[in-house]
């Protein structure tokens, strides 16, 4: 039995789940999300809990059991609390400015980079003196938020020698010593 798949999903106050055939819709104070699930799996809402069951112990059913339970759980958490990611720009002259849904990044290239963000993602850019600029992204959709963060990070990944680039707050960059360490 899948340990993740068999765990029931508790519904917080204000969150409702509607199962319509192969589509699960979750509504809450932060928004509404829906996910199409595998027709073989069965989703039931009982006693303020969502339970996902599978028909057989086939390899395919076992794999999708845990996957769809996790996706539904992420939707429930997203519409009740939401998700938040903070990214840090490390480097001299690196700047970020948010205007509506457009994020302007200055990352040491000869030009500024403009990224138009989806309407589901809220963005905020903070710049304090003697601190690295921060980009704060919030959304109720965990998958979309992760995808947007990955796109932003891919513009200038942290490099191992000086640590310059875009990284998540709290992320540890593995550092290398450079040329002088092995030379003699």
């Amino acid at each position: 039995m899948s340990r993740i798949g068999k765990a029931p999903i508790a519904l917080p106050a204000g969150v409702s789940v509607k199962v319509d055939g192969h589509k699960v819709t979750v509504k809450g104070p932060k928004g509404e999300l829906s996910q199409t699930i595998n027709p073989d799996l069965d989703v039931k809402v009982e006693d303020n809990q969502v339970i996902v069951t599978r028909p057989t112990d086939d390899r395919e059913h076992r794999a999708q059991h845990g996957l769809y339970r996790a996706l539904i759980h992420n939707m429930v958490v997203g519409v009740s609390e939401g998700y938040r990611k903070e990214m840090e720009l490390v480097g001299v002259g690196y700047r970020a400015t948010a205007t509506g849904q457009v994020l302007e990044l200055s990352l040491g290239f000869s030009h500024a980079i403009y990224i138009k963000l989806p309407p589901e993602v809220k963005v905020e850019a903070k710049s304090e003196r003697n601190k690295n600029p921060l980009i704060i992204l919030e959304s109720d959709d965990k998958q979309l938020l992760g995808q947007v963060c990955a796109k932003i990070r891919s513009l200038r990944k942290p490099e191992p020698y000086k640590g310059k680039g875009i990284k998540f707050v709290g992320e540890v960059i593995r550092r290398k010593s450079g040329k002088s360490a092995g030379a003699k």
Side-chain angles (χ1 to χ4, degrees):
M1 221 29 206
S2 166
R3 282 189 234 169
I4 293 172
K6 69 181 178 183
I9 304 165
L11 294 177
V15 176
S16 64
V17 176
K18 190 175 112 193
V19 182
D20 184 29
H22 311 305
K23 191 172 185 179
V24 177
T25 307
V26 181
K27 267 188 189 175
K30 295 243 180 198
E32 179 179 341
L33 296 170
S34 61
Q35 174 76 41
T36 306
I37 63 162
N38 188 330
D40 295 342
L41 298 177
D42 190 33
V43 179
K44 291 184 203 135
V45 181
E46 299 171 348
D47 306 330
N48 222 16
Q49 287 184 334
V50 179
I51 300 165
V52 181
T53 55
R54 65 175 186 244
T56 66
D57 275 344
D58 289 348
R59 185 180 178 91
E60 187 72 21
H61 287 153
R62 285 195 322 250
Q64 293 189 349
H65 188 205
L67 167 75
Y68 285 112
R69 187 262 175 209
L71 290 176
I72 294 169
H73 179 261
N74 289 344
M75 290 193 304
V76 168
V77 171
V79 297
S80 60
E81 301 165 24
Y83 290 99
R84 175 186 173 104
K85 295 241 185 199
E86 294 183 6
M87 303 180 88
E88 188 177 9
L89 278 67
V90 180
V92 177
Y94 287 13
R95 285 189 305 278
T97 318
T99 312
Q101 289 301 104
V102 177
L103 181 65
E104 179 187 352
L105 297 171
S106 182
L107 301 174
F109 297 119
S110 61
H111 58 283
I113 299 169
Y114 296 92
I115 302 173
K116 186 162 180 4
L117 299 172
E120 297 89 6
V121 178
K122 292 175 183 64
V123 65
E124 181 186 346
K126 283 186 181 176
S127 295
E128 291 181 29
R129 229 173 125 75
N130 298 328
K131 287 190 179 175
N132 292 328
L134 285 177
I135 302 169
I136 301 163
L137 299 159
E138 292 182 34
S139 179
D140 55 352
D141 191 344
K142 188 176 186 177
Q143 287 177 321
L144 180 66
L145 184 65
Q147 208 169 3
V148 169
C149 287
K151 176 68 179 162
I152 292 171
R153 189 175 191 270
S154 73
L155 297 171
R156 185 71 107 176
K157 287 186 180 167
E159 52 98 14
Y161 297 102
K162 290 185 177 179
K164 290 169 55 173
I166 302 173
K167 67 179 193 125
F168 292 103
V169 171
E171 180 183 5
V172 177
I173 305 299
R174 215 167 135 206
R175 302 295 290 270
K176 292 182 177 178
S177 57
K179 283 198 264 185
S180 62
K184 211 167 195 206

